[in-house]
Amino acid sequence: MTLSEKVSYIKGMMEGMNFEASSNEAKLLAKIVDLLDDMAISIEDLEDETAAIEEFTKEMDEDLADVEEIVFEDEDDDFDDEDWDDEEDDDEDIIEAECPVCGETIYFDDTVDPDDVICPNCHKHFTCVCDGDCECCETPCDEADEEDKE
């Protein structure tokens, strides 16, 4: 039973109860039933629109799958172990360091100036906060820390 059918059933029940049409209760119930009828129609319209959008989306998804198959069909064949090795080489430029203020382990690459590293946790500026084994600065970090203390 649809919402409109349920509202029609309630209208019929109300008419069968022989309310006095001029009574306040009958007027109120009539307005409520009219509101229910309007709401049922709006909801059914939304359900129809949603169903149409779902169908359209499914069709677009199928079309996109066809396009992806055509565009990307050769990409899987082109991938080999050398491509994987190249990606691992990119990770060598990442520097791991510990912030001397908050102790947070931070990571940065060679695009960051080692003389002005900002901790993302405490937002303090540091000169080379790495562990001293990296090549990010000319002065080893242990010596740089000692110079800062002086």
Side-chain angles (χ1 to χ4, degrees):
M1 186 178 256
T2 66
L3 290 174
S4 294
E5 291 171 340
K6 290 178 181 179
V7 171
S8 295
Y9 177 76
I10 292 172
K11 273 185 183 179
M13 284 179 56
M14 192 178 100
E15 290 171 5
M17 292 184 172
N18 295 324
F19 283 105
E20 186 178 320
S22 62
S23 73
N24 289 336
E25 293 84 9
K27 290 178 185 177
L28 176 65
L29 287 175
K31 293 292 182 185
I32 290 173
V33 171
D34 287 342
L35 175 65
L36 287 173
D37 192 33
D38 291 344
M39 291 173 62
I41 291 169
S42 294
I43 290 171
E44 288 174 352
D45 289 346
L46 288 172
E47 288 173 343
D48 292 343
E49 290 176 19
T50 302
I53 291 172
E54 277 183 28
E55 183 63 32
F56 180 71
T57 304
K58 285 179 186 177
E59 290 173 10
M60 284 183 58
D61 186 43
E62 291 170 3
D63 292 344
L64 181 59
D66 293 342
V67 170
E68 287 175 340
E69 185 175 318
I70 292 168
V71 171
F72 299 118
E73 71 183 335
D74 293 334
E75 269 192 26
D76 292 336
D77 299 336
D78 294 342
F79 184 78
D80 58 14
D81 289 338
E82 291 177 14
D83 294 334
W84 184 260
D85 292 340
D86 290 343
E87 290 177 13
E88 289 178 4
D89 292 342
D90 293 341
D91 290 342
E92 292 176 10
D93 296 331
I94 302 297
I95 300 166
E96 179 179 337
E98 184 176 313
C99 174
V101 174
C102 67
E104 180 78 16
T105 300
I106 61 173
Y107 302 91
F108 60 95
D109 59 13
D110 57 359
T111 61
V112 174
D113 180 12
D115 293 328
D116 188 27
V117 178
I118 302 171
C119 177
N121 187 42
C122 66
H123 308 287
K124 299 291 183 183
H125 291 258
F126 302 99
T127 300
C128 189
V129 295
C130 58
D131 60 8
D133 296 329
C134 68
E135 299 172 7
C136 69
C137 58
E138 297 173 9
T139 307
C141 296
D142 295 335
E143 293 175 21
D145 289 341
E146 289 176 15
E147 289 175 9
D148 290 341
K149 289 179 184 176
E150 294 176 355

